[in-house]
Amino acid sequence: MATRINTGGSKAAPQKTKPPARVAGPVPQIPVTEVFPVIEDGLWPAKAVEGESFPVRATVFRDGHDAYAAEAVLTNPNGTDTMRARMHEIGIGLDRFEAWLLPKRPGDWTFRVESWSDPYTTWLHDAGIKIPAGIDVEVTLMEGAKVLKRAIAGEAIQNPTQKPLPAAAAKTLRTAIKKLTDTTLTPEKRLEAGTKPQVVRVFNDYPLRDLIGASRAYKLQVDRERALTGAWYEIFPRSIGAHKTGDGEWVSGTLRSAAADLDRIAGMGFNVVYLTPIHPIGTTFRKGRNNTLTAEPGDPGSPYGIGSAAGGHDTIHPDLGDFSDFDWFVAQARDRDMEVALDIALQCSPDHPWVTEHPEWFKRRADGSIAYAENPPKKYQDIYPLSFDEDPEGLYRAIKAVLELWIKHGVTIFRVDNPHTKPVAFWQRLLAEMHLAHPQVLFLAEAFTRPAMMRTLAEVGFHQSYTYFAWRNNPWELGEYLRELAEDTAHFLRPTFWPTTHDILTQVMVDGGENAYLMRAVLAATGSPTWGIYSGYELVENVQRPGFEEAIDNEKYEFKPREYDSIRAVAISKMLQTLNRARAEHPALQRLRNLTIHETTHDDVLCFSKHLDAWESPNGHADTVIVLVNMNPHWRATGEVHLDLSRLGIPAPGADSGWTVMRVRDLLDGQVYDWGARNYFDLDPALRVAHVFAVENL
């Protein structure tokens, strides 16, 4: 029987729809808002490294006029609170507070901000007004005694965590209470007893915390120190030891011949040796010298055209050796305190086994052919990009298996080529799983791309990132960029500075020659905790391929053995060694967040400092380095630098008038100077491109 539907008559009363309930965390009675460092409201962890302090900021305020306070709290991976730091106001009138925390080992930490009402500071303020004015004198003094008694007993309002004072602190307060309540003394003497420095110190060390509350706990990924600090040296292994036979035929270098250069590289102070891809190279559409479309007999092809009948990403080019040779290379590097970083380029030559085994992993054009890589006007017919559209799970498993293989063979760092051409969701998943399985393994993003992608790749898990350093070539724009990296993005993006790469040769390096190479090395080595050079830097290889911002006779397409015994190469090698020694000896240069830009009177000169307080220094001593660079490789620059001494940890009376307050030693040549707030400089590139001063009398 069909159901009858009533379409007429009286209408039913409309149903009231309840508005959706708001889901929100409880607000502490002393509210804590706008917490930093937080990424996407805590969806992804902020970054830190072992031994590096980081700032915690929050907006903290309250109703009424009573005093309040806040504290940043650091919790280790075991769930134990390991550090508390009292927060201090940094935006007067804005209720913005800051403290610095220092995690001491890698792991998945958290931090939070606690707030509380501060009854002693409230009484201190009120009594300081009322007693001199003769208002409510006896009641006010009684209230002070009551606060001190509460502190001794540990009786805080709505705070079960408050503990009684240690015996010595309690004794100090009892002495004060006795005088606060002694009516034979004048009100001024009684007030003095409750406000003595000893009493204030007790409440600074053991505050009475009423109405305690807290923000939620925010995630903090603390990585090992190499995630922040390192000196990289890039090589094409096939070039080292490559030679021609008597018939003019090239013979490739090998992993074992490349290892013969490790002593020289380590001797310059580099602690990461970075290998461009070492996999088999395809022959279909193989590029010739300088990216020509036709390879001549003997042209080795680009190592980024990965894959041949010999194998793909899980294989070593037969000319370079096999896995036993690779294991030996890794062991030789470790014997010299160097880590091996391997280039991972997630792309294939037309001859890669994946092309025939998994055609669904590549995009096809309208004519049925597989789309090759392009970066107009550059074309890479020898490279097929991977596509994650059809079989993302299968491709994911294959890539993860490749990484696991190389980790098994001792790779601890991956330099990832063009990560911005792969889905962010892929990287988020992969890096999260790698972090759980191999927290010691690091990933560097070679993402020379737009800021949003570069920043997001860092946020979802890349430990380090290439930067725009190579294209910041005047003091103002580089100074602003250094400040941005140190202050605005340090909680998720760790920069690496490269003056040149095998793909990048900027005009300043072409025009400036040896002076530019020296100048940019100083800036890279001191401006960022991680920096690197591409082999051949010592030889000032600065001739561009016409129409392109890259070197002529590019090593990507040919063998390039080098001799490093020329006068120029020796001089630049010595500078690189000096810079790396300075970085090793001065922990201030191993940190990112401690940078200050200082004013100079010359438009071509950049000055910045890096300062580390004793409490956060690994050797227990404060450390300050001042860097002064003439960024014009052609012209002499003279003028004054005006130092903000407060940022160097030097509260010097008379400093504003330029009085001598410190002795500085130039780490580049050993010369010693007496400096103050205002200092003369003379930087002639023909003689010196920079000063790198260590402050000796902190």
Side-chain angles (χ1 to χ4, degrees):
M1 186 177 192
T3 302
R4 296 185 62 183
I5 300 175
N6 185 356
T7 59
S10 61
K11 296 182 178 179
Q15 295 290 320
K16 291 185 178 180
T17 302
K18 293 183 178 180
R22 293 188 62 190
V23 179
V27 177
Q29 190 156 338
I30 314 296
V32 177
T33 64
E34 300 173 317
V35 178
F36 171 92
V38 175
I39 301 173
E40 291 294 313
D41 197 31
L43 179 65
W44 305 321
K47 289 192 179 79
V49 298
E50 56 180 330
E52 183 202 25
S53 66
F54 69 96
V56 174
R57 302 186 190 105
T59 300
V60 186
F61 57 95
R62 72 162 303 165
D63 57 295
H65 301 288
D66 285 359
Y68 59 93
E71 196 169 52
V73 185
L74 185 63
T75 305
N76 70 18
N78 298 329
T80 303
D81 292 345
T82 62
M83 183 179 180
R84 290 176 173 271
R86 186 74 170 261
M87 302 184 78
H88 301 282
E89 197 166 6
I90 58 173
I92 304 302
L94 300 177
D95 298 317
R96 192 70 175 157
F97 291 80
E98 179 185 83
W100 288 70
L101 298 175
L102 180 68
K104 294 188 176 181
R105 63 182 174 89
D108 295 324
W109 297 58
T110 63
F111 69 93
R112 67 184 184 275
V113 174
E114 291 187 353
S115 63
W116 68 87
S117 180
D118 185 344
Y120 177 72
T121 301
T122 299
W123 174 78
L124 205 64
H125 172 269
D126 292 348
I129 296 173
K130 290 182 176 181
I131 302 302
I135 301 173
D136 296 334
V137 172
E138 194 60 35
V139 171
T140 300
L141 293 170
M142 289 173 59
E143 287 174 345
K146 182 179 179 181
V147 169
L148 270 60
K149 290 176 182 177
R150 288 179 54 211
I152 293 171
E155 295 177 353
I157 298 173
Q158 296 181 18
N159 179 11
T161 66
Q162 189 78 33
K163 293 181 176 61
L165 292 178
K171 181 178 179 181
T172 298
L173 296 197
R174 287 192 184 98
T175 301
I177 292 169
K178 186 176 181 180
K179 292 186 178 181
L180 271 170
T181 57
D182 187 348
T183 57
T184 66
L185 298 176
T186 66
E188 290 75 17
K189 286 292 184 181
R190 295 165 69 184
L191 175 62
E192 181 184 350
T195 59
K196 281 186 174 181
Q198 301 95 309
V199 175
V200 173
R201 192 176 303 117
V202 167
F203 280 98
N204 283 339
D205 294 341
Y206 309 101
L208 181 61
R209 306 192 300 173
D210 286 348
L211 308 177
I212 191 168
S215 71
R216 61 188 170 98
Y218 292 98
K219 294 181 286 187
L220 180 76
Q221 179 179 311
V222 180
D223 298 309
R224 63 187 181 98
E225 190 172 13
R226 182 68 73 235
L228 176 67
T229 303
W232 289 46
Y233 193 95
E234 175 190 357
I235 65 171
F236 282 68
R238 70 186 185 190
S239 287
I240 302 174
H243 61 280
K244 285 186 176 182
T245 66
D247 297 332
E249 298 293 327
W250 275 105
V251 176
S252 172
T254 67
L255 287 165
R256 290 192 177 253
S257 66
D261 208 25
L262 291 177
D263 281 334
R264 185 186 68 85
I265 297 169
M268 289 186 289
F270 292 97
N271 49 35
V272 176
V273 56
Y274 149 39
L275 312 182
T276 50
I278 58 174
H279 316 297
I281 299 170
T283 56
T284 302
F285 297 123
R286 173 178 286 189
K287 295 296 186 71
R289 293 186 61 190
N290 289 312
N291 202 29
T292 56
L293 295 179
T294 303
E296 299 295 329
D299 285 346
S302 168
Y304 293 90
I306 296 169
S308 73
H313 290 77
D314 55 358
T315 311
I316 295 173
H317 196 299
D319 289 350
L320 294 174
D322 57 23
F323 274 103
S324 66
D325 298 307
F326 182 81
D327 293 342
W328 185 83
F329 182 93
V330 171
Q332 292 297 305
R334 286 178 176 170
D335 286 347
R336 292 157 178 80
D337 295 323
M338 302 175 74
E339 296 189 47
V340 174
L342 182 63
D343 208 329
I344 288 295
L346 298 181
Q347 58 204 30
C348 300
S349 85
D351 304 320
H352 196 293
W354 287 352
V355 175
T356 53
E357 295 171 2
H358 295 282
E360 69 275 14
W361 293 354
F362 304 90
K363 284 187 176 180
R364 294 193 176 271
R365 301 190 297 180
D367 61 2
S369 63
I370 294 178
Y372 57 76
E374 294 184 83
N375 184 15
K378 296 180 181 180
K379 295 182 178 181
Y380 303 98
Q381 296 91 338
D382 57 334
I383 292 174
Y384 288 168
L386 295 170
S387 171
F388 292 75
D389 294 348
E390 291 190 32
D391 181 22
E393 188 62 28
L395 188 50
Y396 178 86
R397 289 196 301 268
I399 292 170
K400 185 180 178 184
V402 166
L403 296 176
E404 294 279 3
L405 170 69
W406 290 105
I407 292 170
K408 181 180 177 181
H409 284 277
V411 174
T412 54
I413 306 174
F414 291 101
R415 181 266 194 191
V416 180
D417 192 68
N418 288 330
H420 51 285
T421 61
K422 286 78 182 172
V424 171
F426 161 78
W427 290 120
Q428 182 182 17
R429 177 186 174 188
L430 180 68
L431 294 171
E433 293 190 9
M434 284 288 143
H435 175 67
L436 290 175
H438 307 287
Q440 78 283 4
V441 175
L442 309 176
F443 290 81
L444 166 64
E446 187 246 7
F448 294 117
T449 184
R450 295 169 70 168
M453 174 62 84
M454 181 184 288
R455 291 161 66 101
T456 304
L457 287 170
E459 289 174 342
V460 300
F462 273 95
H463 300 84
Q464 297 177 335
S465 177
Y466 279 65
T467 65
Y468 305 135
F469 166 74
W471 297 279
R472 298 294 188 265
N473 288 308
N474 71 57
W476 182 87
E477 63 182 2
L478 181 56
E480 283 297 298
Y481 193 46
L482 289 172
R483 186 205 58 75
E484 174 188 322
L485 293 170
E487 298 177 10
D488 298 345
T489 61
H491 59 297
F492 62 86
L493 189 150
R494 300 191 187 104
T496 66
F497 280 4
W498 295 76
T500 65
T501 74
H502 61 263
D503 281 327
I504 297 170
L505 179 61
T506 57
Q507 197 63 39
V508 68
M509 309 300 277
V510 176
D511 296 338
E514 183 174 337
N515 292 343
Y517 274 64
L518 292 169
M519 174 261 291
R520 296 298 291 184
V522 171
L523 289 169
T526 60
S528 172
T530 292
W531 80 299
I533 66 163
Y534 159 50
S535 54
Y537 194 89
E538 305 95 313
L539 300 170
V540 189
E541 296 175 349
N542 70 330
V543 180
Q544 285 178 335
R545 182 159 71 97
F548 295 88
E549 199 177 50
E550 65 181 36
I552 193 74
D553 302 329
N554 195 303
E555 194 170 4
K556 282 200 302 183
Y557 308 106
E558 61 182 84
F559 297 110
K560 207 174 186 73
R562 298 178 174 91
E563 298 293 336
Y564 292 101
D565 55 1
S566 68
I567 294 176
R568 169 182 277 180
V570 169
I572 294 183
S573 296
K574 185 177 180 181
M575 170 68 90
L576 301 178
Q577 181 186 50
T578 300
L579 290 169
N580 281 329
R581 183 186 302 117
R583 287 164 48 85
E585 294 175 353
H586 289 275
L589 292 176
Q590 301 166 24
R591 298 294 179 258
L592 175 62
R593 295 175 169 94
N594 59 341
L595 180 139
T596 300
I597 304 296
H598 301 274
E599 178 188 354
T600 74
T601 61
H602 198 290
D603 290 343
D604 289 333
V605 176
L606 173 67
C607 181
F608 59 88
S609 65
K610 289 197 165 186
H611 172 74
L612 206 59
D613 285 331
W615 72 271
E616 57 181 325
S617 176
N619 59 23
H621 300 288
D623 186 40
T624 300
V625 176
I626 302 167
V627 181
L628 194 66
V629 184
N630 181 0
M631 293 185 63
N632 187 324
H634 305 289
W635 298 102
R636 177 184 180 188
T638 62
E640 277 193 344
V641 56
H642 298 165
L643 296 176
D644 180 354
L645 295 181
S646 67
R647 299 287 291 176
L648 308 182
I650 304 175
D656 289 342
S657 62
W659 294 356
T660 297
V661 295
M662 59 184 167
R663 176 157 293 178
V664 297
R665 182 180 299 274
D666 194 333
L667 299 174
L668 302 182
D669 61 14
Q671 293 193 36
V672 176
Y673 304 83
D674 291 326
W675 266 34
R678 296 202 302 267
N679 308 280
Y680 174 77
F681 62 79
D682 184 349
L683 292 173
D684 184 343
L687 302 175
R688 70 170 78 241
V689 296
H691 291 293
V692 179
F693 290 128
V695 179
E696 293 196 330
N697 59 335
L698 282 179

